[in-house]
Amino acid sequence: MNPLQNFLQWCNRVGLVLSNKVCVSKEGTVAEYGMLAQDNIEEGEVLFTIPRSALLHQETTKVSAVLEKESSSLESSSGWVPLLLALLYEYTSSQSRWKPYLSLWTDFKTLDHPMFWSQEERERLLSGTGIPQAVDTDLDNIRREYTDVVLPFITKHPDLWNPDTHTLELYAQLVAFVMAYSFQEPQVEEDDDDDDDEEEDEKTQNPPMMVPMADMLNHVSNHNANLEFTPDSLKMVSVRPIHKGEEVFNTYGQMANWQLLHMYGFTEPYQSNSNDTADIPITNLYQVATQGIQSDLDRQLLEEKWEMLCETMQEKGAFVFGKQGCLTDTELHSVLKVLCMSKEEFSEFKDNEGWEEDEEDEISLAFSNEGLPGLKASWKWLIHEAARLTERSYRDWEGQIEDKAALGLSSRQQSALQVRCGQRSILHRLLELTKA
């Protein structure tokens, strides 16, 4: 019996109910597996229902008791260690309850995240996109998490795990598996007037879990189905009519192509990804601001401004532009305002410990595609030159292949091309909108 049939039989056994209007297939879908409509589907129809007992996570795994008992030793920055330990155990156990599900991924070779590319290939194909830096951070975190948290724990439990089987390599593959296929249940919002800070929100996020069948669906930004969570089960529900023969698509959220490639290992055609973005590093804005400096006093003033901005911006490393304008408009507005202040204005600004903030709606409009051409000349110049500097950071290899209509490109080159073309088209539009 092939792995897919085996999996579908398992679904029946665990109480997963699949509508007869859909089928799982390897044919006619955009990726390895997908779901197709076998009949016309109306909006609001349930395509499948999966009982919570069939989900795979740290509370349903066979090793849940030991994970719960020693949870304090499994804390990490990702929050994923308990699920990953469950997957290490279940993936390599011949007796696993989820074996027919996990057997769909025989060796994870279908996962082609940039973290599995060579460093040379990442730099060559993806320089300027932000992905190489994100991958370096991931790989450092994975190594540290495995060495500091996972290895000591599995060594302590030789009856359940074995460092020779449960290696760093397998751990990294399972991280990519969780990145690409897991789901996070949204927090139930409680009526609370207090605005908890984002840090609190991040700490209280539900841990990821594996949802068999739901992870068969592929993603597009213009999706036609959505996963709903109920106390007893999870349901995939159509959000608009789906015609017979069409693929059923879920959404993984509002994802730019660089995020899709980094986290899921694929891209959408850049023209149709309405959520695509391009980043302009804040350091590029500073570099441009230093260009017009005539005197030491001016340099000192700029450095004071920059020091203050770095404190207020903290983690914000870049300004994000989407297809309709700047998505980090309040931050960009603040930085441009400070960088373009005279010595007297900056002095007054420091004495007042800031300024009366402008209306958010006004800022949003000013930094939209419609508003950008009307910005002050000094602001436009800074944005324009920073965008130009960013544009130069891409290694220009696509020019050599555009004439060949992308024929003969590897899947990695094609993915890289979608990311780069999408980002560069946003930067080119920005250059047009901000030219003097």
Side-chain angles (χ1 to χ4, degrees):
M1 190 187 299
N2 73 34
L4 185 53
Q5 287 172 317
N6 206 3
F7 168 66
L8 292 170
Q9 284 194 2
W10 175 84
C11 289
N12 277 335
R13 290 201 301 277
V14 298
L16 190 153
V17 180
L18 188 65
S19 161
N20 57 12
K21 289 191 175 183
V22 293
C23 67
V24 180
S25 177
K26 283 182 128 178
E27 307 295 322
T29 58
V30 296
E32 169 108 11
Y33 292 107
M35 184 170 280
L36 295 174
Q38 300 191 110
D39 205 338
N40 290 333
I41 295 167
E42 296 301 313
E43 181 182 337
E45 286 195 45
V46 176
L47 308 179
F48 60 83
T49 304
I50 173 167
R52 283 187 178 265
S53 56
L55 306 178
L56 172 49
H57 53 82
Q58 61 220 53
E59 289 170 19
T60 55
T61 174
K62 194 173 176 186
V63 291
S64 60
V66 69
L67 296 178
E68 173 61 30
K69 187 178 166 196
E70 300 188 35
S71 59
S72 60
S73 69
L74 301 178
E75 287 172 10
S76 69
S77 57
S78 75
W80 292 8
V81 169
L83 174 62
L84 287 160
L85 282 165
L87 285 170
L88 281 171
Y89 175 82
E90 300 289 351
Y91 186 72
T92 54
S93 163
S94 58
Q95 303 304 308
S96 172
R97 181 177 177 228
W98 288 273
K99 191 166 180 56
Y101 162 62
L102 294 169
S103 295
L104 293 170
W105 291 275
T106 44
D107 56 9
F108 297 115
K109 288 284 186 287
T110 52
L111 298 176
D112 199 23
H113 296 56
M115 63 187 270
F116 300 124
W117 305 8
S118 70
Q119 184 148 16
E120 182 277 325
E121 198 168 15
R122 281 197 297 273
E123 288 300 333
R124 178 164 45 84
L125 296 180
L126 297 168
S127 68
T129 64
I131 296 175
Q133 295 81 350
V135 170
D136 287 344
T137 303
D138 287 346
L139 291 173
D140 284 346
N141 288 341
I142 290 166
R143 271 191 292 270
R144 193 178 310 117
E145 195 171 81
Y146 182 80
T147 309
D148 296 351
V149 184
V150 174
L151 197 53
F153 181 82
I154 65 178
T155 308
K156 221 168 96 181
H157 297 281
D159 51 325
L160 300 171
W161 291 276
N162 177 352
D164 294 337
T165 308
H166 303 114
T167 58
L168 173 60
E169 185 186 8
L170 178 58
Y171 189 75
Q173 289 173 332
L174 287 168
V175 168
F177 181 55
V178 171
M179 268 179 154
Y181 290 105
S182 69
F183 290 79
Q184 257 178 317
E185 185 162 2
Q187 285 290 83
V188 179
E189 287 185 21
E190 292 176 20
D191 295 333
D192 192 350
D193 294 336
D194 295 339
D195 282 340
D196 294 334
D197 28 295
E198 284 175 23
E199 281 179 33
E200 282 301 310
D201 289 348
E202 279 178 26
K203 277 181 198 162
T204 56
Q205 270 189 342
N206 285 314
M209 56 188 178
M210 309 313 296
V211 184
M213 189 60 78
D215 52 20
M216 291 283 193
L217 272 65
N218 296 307
H219 159 100
V220 290
S221 48
N222 184 21
H223 60 290
N224 52 22
N226 208 12
L227 191 64
E228 294 183 1
F229 295 79
T230 73
D232 301 320
S233 61
L234 276 58
K235 300 172 191 289
M236 190 64 71
V237 179
S238 56
V239 296
R240 55 185 172 84
I242 305 170
H243 298 298
K244 180 179 178 176
E246 271 188 69
E247 184 166 357
V248 180
F249 286 104
N250 184 21
T251 176
Y252 304 159
Q254 295 183 328
M255 294 276 184
N257 264 341
W258 79 265
Q259 293 168 306
L260 286 174
L261 184 56
H262 169 220
M263 292 185 65
Y264 300 94
F266 73 92
T267 55
E268 284 191 64
Y270 74 92
Q271 300 93 330
S272 60
N273 185 350
S274 53
N275 301 312
D276 220 358
T277 61
D279 288 4
I280 293 184
I282 183 170
T283 48
N284 284 5
L285 213 59
Y286 175 67
Q287 213 173 317
V288 168
T290 60
Q291 286 173 17
I293 283 186
Q294 305 294 322
S295 66
D296 288 347
L297 279 174
D298 284 350
R299 180 170 297 282
Q300 192 182 337
L301 175 63
L302 177 63
E303 281 172 6
E304 275 182 52
K305 289 176 179 178
W306 185 248
E307 199 173 313
M308 195 208 75
L309 287 170
C310 286
E311 282 171 22
T312 53
M313 295 292 286
Q314 290 169 338
E315 295 300 302
K316 296 272 191 318
F319 302 108
V320 184
F321 285 83
K323 290 191 169 182
Q324 307 306 320
C326 185
L327 303 177
T328 49
D329 41 34
T330 47
E331 292 88 350
L332 180 58
H333 175 260
S334 303
V335 169
L336 290 169
K337 203 166 182 174
V338 170
L339 287 178
C340 293
M341 280 176 181
S342 65
K343 190 172 195 287
E344 294 70 32
E345 286 168 332
F346 184 60
S347 199
E348 189 184 334
F349 171 74
K350 280 194 300 184
D351 293 344
N352 294 339
E353 295 185 356
W355 56 63
E356 287 292 311
E357 197 47 87
D358 294 353
E359 285 294 315
E360 276 188 28
D361 290 351
E362 286 175 24
I363 294 174
S364 194
L365 185 62
F367 290 95
S368 68
N369 287 355
E370 293 71 36
L372 283 163
L375 287 176
K376 292 177 192 170
S378 56
W379 291 20
K380 272 205 306 193
W381 181 81
L382 279 171
I383 296 171
H384 186 88
E385 292 304 310
R388 207 159 65 149
L389 194 57
T390 306
E391 222 283 322
R392 283 196 215 121
S393 69
Y394 293 82
R395 278 199 196 171
D396 198 10
W397 56 266
E398 56 260 60
Q400 306 157 17
I401 53 176
E402 272 170 7
D403 298 344
K404 297 176 188 155
L407 284 176
L409 290 187
S410 70
S411 64
R412 290 180 179 183
Q413 287 173 319
Q414 286 176 27
S415 293
L417 198 60
Q418 296 298 345
V419 173
R420 293 161 61 92
C421 288
Q423 291 185 348
R424 293 180 89 167
S425 70
I426 289 168
L427 291 172
H428 288 160
R429 188 184 301 120
L430 185 58
L431 288 168
E432 280 296 306
L433 293 168
T434 52
K435 64 185 180 191

